[in-house]
Amino acid sequence: MTAVSLNISGLYLGTAVAGAIGGLTLDHLGASAIPIVGAIALVAAWLVAAPAIPTRTEPQREGAPQP
């Protein structure tokens, strides 16, 4: 049950941080900067998640010894 609570808390935290960054972007850079800031956030998220993506491996042949 603790894992579910932490998952939801992380979701709410992400929503709050995104709202704060969006508000700051609007106040300081204007509405035209929102797509640029969004693209930067997308690249940052991809860089954080990239190490968790499994690499592709060759399929094992039938009869081949398993390591």
Side-chain angles (χ1 to χ4, degrees):
M1 197 53 121
T2 302
V4 173
S5 298
L6 289 174
N7 191 12
I8 295 298
S9 295
L11 180 68
Y12 289 151
L13 178 65
T15 303
V17 169
I21 291 173
L24 289 172
T25 301
L26 275 174
D27 281 347
H28 296 289
L29 302 175
S32 62
I34 290 177
I36 296 167
V37 173
I40 292 169
L42 179 66
V43 169
W46 185 80
L47 290 173
V48 169
I53 299 172
T55 58
R56 193 174 203 175
T57 59
E58 300 259 337
Q60 291 285 332
R61 294 184 192 172
E62 281 189 43
Q66 300 271 339

